Amino acid sequence: MTQRILGKDLKVSAIGLGIMGMDHAYGAQADRAQMVNLIQSAVDLGNTLFDTAPVYGESNEQLLGQALKPIREKAVIATKFGIVGMEFKDGKFEQQLDSSPKAIREQVEKSLRNLQTDYIDLYFQHRIDPKIAPELVAETMGELMKEGKIRHWGVSNAPLDYMRKAHQITPITATENQYSMLFREPEQELFDLCEELSIGFMAYSPLGNGFLSGKAGGNFAENDVRRSMKRFSAEAVKKNQPLLDFIHQLAQAKNATAAQIVLAWELAQRSFIVPIPGTTKRSRLQENLGAMNVRLSVTEVAEINHILNQLEIDESYF
């Protein structure tokens, strides 16, 4: 299994596993016994990085904790703090944010209980709290490290100046943001900051919520968030069809699947990128991890990027 380093010294598998979809956003909760087996199978296959969050449902952390408890030393657990609830306001749900030191300490203790562990490998601020200075958050992270409750910390979707200020107090190990052929915004400035400060990049939705695999159709369950995603609208699908066609051609040429081409391309962009695709199926897990065996030369990556730059890609999300 190919490994990568997040930050200065956090060693993880080059592709991780997002746990969110086993409970949240993509339809009904997946069978617990099957998901425990899937997570443990991922470890057997060499996957060491697992990503969850309380906002995905308390059961999501509990599931991961149950699965990894017998093999805790083989896994790197990433979970999050900062979103403490959802409020329905003006016709839509809004995140309730609290990254005050007291709230962080309450959240970390709850996550430790849910995960059935004494420490969290990588603790992300899920969303920044505009009421709390980045220096104070970073100071709290440093205290939790000294206490042994967490080993590394990171941010998710944080502004660059916020990251710089926090990093000066307690170095950030990783940032977690959306990145894929459908959404390349991190290439503009964030990747350069990561390289400058030795910060790793965990990419969520690396397959565009399944869109880029070419296997996600429009018949989603009632409680599947993709029903309301603009990237799955008829207009966006039509506009992005040339991208899917291009990926399919690459996959045929490389004797790979579309998902493997997308993940291999992502790994080739920067050495500090670690995609964390989610799945509830063992076949997809094996397929995703198999992307590490797909080799793209520097020339091929440059050619792919050139073509991507020529395509009029609709980056719509919600």
Side-chain angles (χ1 to χ4, degrees):
M1 174 65 68
T2 305
Q3 294 186 318
R4 292 197 161 184
I5 302 295
L6 294 176
K8 298 201 183 261
D9 60 2
L10 181 57
K11 187 180 293 186
V12 299
S13 52
I15 293 177
L17 178 62
I19 305 300
M20 181 190 77
M22 297 179 183
D23 285 277
H24 177 75
Y26 291 153
Q29 183 185 75
D31 180 88
R32 301 292 85 178
Q34 291 178 12
M35 293 306 97
V36 166
N37 183 262
L38 180 70
I39 293 167
Q40 293 176 344
S41 294
V43 175
D44 292 338
L45 292 169
N47 185 108
T48 64
L49 176 62
F50 299 87
D51 180 80
T52 181
V55 76
Y56 305 154
E58 192 172 351
S59 59
N60 204 243
E61 282 189 328
Q62 292 170 344
L63 169 66
L64 188 58
Q66 178 187 351
L68 294 179
K69 186 176 182 179
I71 46 176
R72 179 66 183 91
E73 72 286 352
K74 296 182 179 180
V76 172
I77 294 177
T79 192
K80 306 176 185 74
F81 69 93
I83 301 178
V84 295
M86 301 293 286
E87 181 181 11
F88 193 72
K89 188 177 181 181
D90 297 328
K92 63 180 180 179
F93 284 100
E94 292 185 0
Q95 296 167 343
Q96 296 175 298
L97 306 173
D98 194 345
S99 285
S100 63
K102 180 176 182 293
I104 290 174
R105 288 188 169 277
E106 292 172 351
Q107 291 170 74
V108 75
E109 293 298 339
K110 189 170 185 179
S111 286
L112 288 169
R113 289 194 299 271
N114 286 338
L115 292 164
Q116 300 184 60
T117 185
D118 297 325
Y119 64 93
I120 293 165
D121 297 280
L122 181 53
Y123 201 38
F124 282 105
Q125 184 180 28
H126 206 162
R127 293 292 184 271
I128 68 164
D129 182 346
K131 303 185 299 297
I132 308 298
E135 293 88 349
L136 184 55
V137 174
E139 184 180 311
T140 305
M141 293 298 103
E143 293 171 357
L144 293 177
M145 287 181 189
K146 290 177 182 177
E147 296 165 18
K149 295 183 185 297
I150 69 173
R151 295 188 172 177
H152 301 265
W153 85 287
V155 293
S156 179
N157 293 288
L160 271 60
D161 63 335
Y162 185 98
M163 293 175 65
R164 284 189 181 279
K165 291 175 181 177
H167 189 77
Q168 289 180 343
I169 305 301
T170 304
I172 293 171
T173 292
T175 182
E176 184 174 328
N177 294 61
Q178 181 182 179
Y179 180 57
S180 72
M181 288 183 179
L182 269 182
F183 188 84
R184 298 171 63 191
E185 183 179 294
E187 296 176 5
Q188 297 173 14
E189 294 181 285
L190 183 52
F191 284 171
D192 288 342
L193 180 69
C194 288
E195 187 164 9
E196 176 192 341
L197 301 181
S198 296
I199 295 173
F201 185 98
M202 280 171 53
Y204 69 77
S205 300
L207 296 173
N209 308 98
F211 181 89
L212 294 170
S213 70
K215 297 170 183 173
N219 297 319
F220 300 121
E222 283 293 331
N223 53 349
D224 191 317
V225 70
R226 289 173 293 186
R227 287 175 64 94
S228 60
M229 277 188 174
K230 290 182 180 178
R231 68 174 40 159
F232 287 98
S233 68
E235 183 181 355
V237 170
K238 182 178 180 180
K239 187 171 184 179
N240 288 332
Q241 188 60 46
L243 173 59
L244 294 182
D245 294 341
F246 173 57
I247 294 170
H248 180 70
Q249 292 170 7
L250 288 173
Q252 285 189 318
K254 285 288 186 179
N255 193 29
T257 67
Q260 289 174 336
I261 288 296
V262 172
L263 293 172
W265 166 84
E266 195 156 319
L267 290 171
Q269 297 306 302
R270 300 287 183 111
S271 62
F272 51 74
I273 295 174
V274 177
I276 50 169
T279 187
T280 58
K281 298 180 175 63
R282 182 183 174 87
S283 60
R284 295 286 182 265
L285 172 67
Q286 292 173 313
E287 177 184 358
N288 292 341
L289 295 178
M292 287 180 284
N293 297 321
V294 178
R295 304 300 176 194
L296 297 174
S297 69
V298 174
T299 300
E300 287 174 325
V301 173
E303 290 175 348
I304 292 170
N305 287 340
H306 175 72
I307 294 174
L308 289 177
N309 290 337
Q310 306 309 307
L311 294 175
E312 294 185 10
I313 296 173
D314 186 333
E315 292 191 349
S316 298
Y317 193 48
F318 284 114

